[in-house]
Amino acid sequence: MMLSGFLLLLIGFASQTLAQSQPWGQCGGIGWAGATTCTSGWTCVLSSAYYSQCLQSASTSATTTPATSTTTTTVKTTTSSSATATVTGFPASAPTVPPSKLVGQTPALGWNSWNAYGCNINEAKVVAAANQFVSLGLKAAGYQYVNIDDCWPLAARNASSKQIVPDPAKFPDGISGVATQVHALGLKLGIYSDAGTATCAGFPGSLGFESIDAATFSAWGVDYLKYDNCNIPANWSDTGTPQNNDWYNSNSAIRYRQMTAALAAQSRPFQFNLCLWGNYNVWNWGSRVGHSWRLTGDASATWSFITTAITTSVSHSATGFGAHGDMDMMEIGNGALTIQEQRTHFAAWIMLKSPILLGTDLSLLNTTQLAIIKNAELLAFHQDTTVGGPAVPFTPFSSAPTTSPPEYYVGKSSKGTHVFIINTSSAAATKSFTFANAGLGSSGTFSVHDMWAGTDLAGTYAASATFSVTVQPHDTVAYFINVL
Ligand code: GAL
């Protein structure tokens, strides 16, 4: 296709995503600010108060009113596992096993099928992503996890073993066959399940089947589990605040704790991602249950999503080794984000220590986009093994204006001090800070190193001196401060 035609297609796709959610996309739920209707032939289906999803109209019935939008929504009634799950996890007896310390200490780096392909996945696409990790230099840059999202199994479990069955039309070699190919490349494989009776797209959920599923995933060679929160039976839901505001002992947390314990009983270490869209105060208990926890509803390739995710992460940064707020999967390569917005998307996920799971067809990335996601200095900050915590906002000079999200951040690594500055406005702007305000003390001499370019900038500065830079609209500059 001619470049101009391709661009038009992209622009058309982007404007469509603003108006209507795409197949399998999120279309409602508490805190959701995106589109609340679906493209033709798809219906917005209420999964829980926190999540509605565009599903194919034929698989739904029973009209009701959604929690947070005025669009027509239906409640799914035909999933294979609508039976009430037995309650086995009362607080006193619920497992308290922590997540493995062998993996997930620095935030995950990898790829996930969802943003690129939704339900339209298969073995060829997953194995292609793994091969592209190698051929595009992503493996060498540190990307490791190749993760399969929703829609990989058949609709029903095996009747006798009760195991989830990979759809043979999509995965002819099974998940174990994919794991073999991914492992042969020196990479790791991730899979998706759900802490309810069915996944968001209606495939078997793991509630009540935690031990069987964890053992099956382990036998297949899976290394990472993303665990979603759709289709929760009433007796496992949280309708109000738990006693003593103790969300670790809420029904929601206990559903996830069952899986943490089941994973811990396997011979393989699993990295465990909790996908509860930033609900149930997950930032207070997530690190006791998993390695990372989603902070928001589903990502979209929009500036408003990027800023919302940053704002949310900044206000809930219970982050450190083995404990990462998940700002959701990357949209670099999708939609119509400007290159500056893609730089901010990457830099913000880096500095706030979110998992970074690429979410596009990697073969379509151009050299500029590849340079962004392979930037060695930014990735080194993200994967630092000395400092686990994120960069935090600082006041760059007295009486600086406040913005949402904040624009100025300072972070530490094994190398020293880093400063990140986001221009949240849609016009180029001069941004300034003093070294003293960035926590570098009241004396000393400093120079500035540009992490994107890998070069030192001209000039030396006293602690009280002001450093200024022009930042492009929605761009982020990333600096290491040399102490001279
Ligand atoms: C959502 C989740 C998405 C994706 C989708 C699959 O709940 O937030 O990231 O996994 O389910 O149906």
Side-chain angles (χ1 to χ4, degrees):
M1 191 184 308
M2 295 286 294
L3 185 61
S4 56
F6 180 62
L7 282 177
L8 278 178
L9 192 75
L10 279 183
I11 291 164
F13 178 74
S15 51
Q16 248 189 342
T17 54
L18 291 180
Q20 294 192 302
S21 285
Q22 297 299 300
W24 311 107
Q26 186 172 359
C27 53
I30 293 168
W32 174 246
T36 54
T37 57
C38 305
T39 49
S40 168
W42 295 73
T43 308
C44 189
V45 175
L46 181 76
S47 182
S48 77
Y50 295 101
Y51 196 82
S52 297
Q53 187 177 33
C54 293
L55 298 181
Q56 243 153 347
S57 301
S59 67
T60 60
S61 58
T63 303
T64 186
T65 310
T68 58
S69 76
T70 53
T71 187
T72 302
T73 300
T74 59
V75 172
K76 202 176 340 192
T77 57
T78 54
T79 59
S80 55
S81 49
S82 53
T84 302
T86 314
V87 179
T88 56
F90 292 109
S93 59
T96 54
V97 181
S100 170
K101 290 254 184 251
L102 299 176
V103 292
Q105 298 309 289
T106 58
L109 276 176
W111 177 89
N112 173 294
S113 57
W114 185 253
N115 287 354
Y117 302 118
C119 260
N120 191 15
I121 48 167
N122 59 39
E123 177 171 335
K125 288 174 177 168
V126 175
V127 173
N131 280 304
Q132 284 147 358
F133 269 30
V134 177
S135 62
L136 298 173
L138 292 162
K139 180 189 171 195
Y143 290 83
Q144 196 178 25
Y145 288 96
V146 178
N147 292 357
I148 301 169
D149 208 280
D150 203 350
C151 308
W152 58 268
L154 292 175
R157 288 175 178 271
N158 178 298
S160 54
S161 72
K162 304 292 180 213
Q163 288 179 307
I164 306 181
V165 183
D167 183 338
K170 294 176 180 168
F171 292 93
D173 294 313
I175 301 302
S176 63
V178 179
T180 303
Q181 296 174 73
V182 168
H183 291 160
L185 295 168
L187 302 170
K188 293 184 172 180
L189 183 71
I191 207 150
Y192 164 100
S193 192
D194 188 284
T197 56
T199 72
C200 300
F203 294 91
S206 293
L207 185 63
F209 295 92
E210 292 86 354
S211 296
I212 293 175
D213 291 351
T216 305
F217 298 154
S218 178
W220 287 344
V222 172
D223 306 290
Y224 181 114
L225 176 64
K226 169 178 174 178
Y227 208 37
D228 214 338
N229 195 44
C230 279
N231 299 302
I232 312 307
N235 61 331
W236 272 109
S237 297
D238 286 297
T239 44
T241 304
Q243 211 179 5
N244 302 326
N245 207 21
D246 177 10
W247 284 97
Y248 179 69
N249 283 315
S250 65
N251 285 334
S252 301
I254 290 171
R255 282 184 287 111
Y256 281 76
R257 285 164 55 187
Q258 313 272 25
M259 184 52 96
T260 315
L263 294 173
Q266 309 309 318
S267 53
R268 302 182 73 77
F270 277 83
Q271 183 159 171
F272 190 31
N273 171 262
L274 322 177
C275 181
L276 307 102
W277 317 298
N279 299 307
Y280 316 107
N281 284 25
V282 65
W283 36 78
N284 288 342
W285 54 269
S287 65
R288 297 167 71 186
V289 181
H291 301 96
S292 59
W293 52 91
R294 270 277 290 281
L295 292 169
T296 65
D298 287 4
S300 60
T302 59
W303 178 244
S304 70
F305 172 75
I306 291 170
T307 53
T308 300
I310 296 171
T311 305
T312 308
S313 178
V314 166
S315 50
H316 299 295
S317 64
T319 303
F321 289 122
H324 302 109
D326 176 2
M327 297 159 73
D328 203 7
M329 300 162 302
M330 305 304 284
E331 294 283 11
I332 288 176
N334 302 335
L337 293 170
T338 67
I339 279 297
Q340 289 74 24
E341 289 167 345
Q342 294 177 68
R343 278 159 54 102
T344 294
H345 188 4
F346 188 71
W349 270 234
I350 289 278
M351 73 179 180
L352 297 170
K353 301 266 171 114
S354 169
I356 294 185
L357 297 178
L358 305 171
T360 199
D361 176 348
L362 299 171
S363 70
L364 299 179
L365 290 171
N366 62 33
T367 49
T368 311
Q369 291 165 324
L370 281 170
I372 292 172
I373 62 175
K374 292 200 299 183
N375 183 283
E377 294 195 26
L378 285 146
L379 287 166
F381 181 88
H382 190 246
Q383 296 295 309
D384 198 276
T385 52
T386 305
V387 180
V392 295
F394 75 99
T395 304
F397 52 91
S398 54
S399 62
T402 53
T403 56
S404 179
E407 294 192 316
Y408 295 83
Y409 298 79
V410 61
K412 299 280 185 196
S413 75
S414 52
K415 288 174 64 183
T417 300
H418 302 252
V419 169
F420 302 87
I421 310 172
I422 305 172
N423 179 4
T424 58
S425 83
S426 45
T430 301
K431 301 292 173 191
S432 305
F433 67 92
T434 73
F435 298 82
N437 278 37
L440 287 150
S442 53
S443 61
T445 309
F446 306 94
S447 71
V448 176
H449 173 88
D450 180 343
M451 293 169 70
W452 283 118
T455 53
D456 285 341
L457 304 182
T460 58
Y461 300 84
S464 59
T466 297
F467 175 88
S468 292
V469 58
T470 302
V471 186
Q472 295 308 306
H474 296 177
D475 201 0
T476 293
V477 294
Y479 294 138
F480 173 68
I481 310 299
N482 292 314
V483 181
L484 301 176

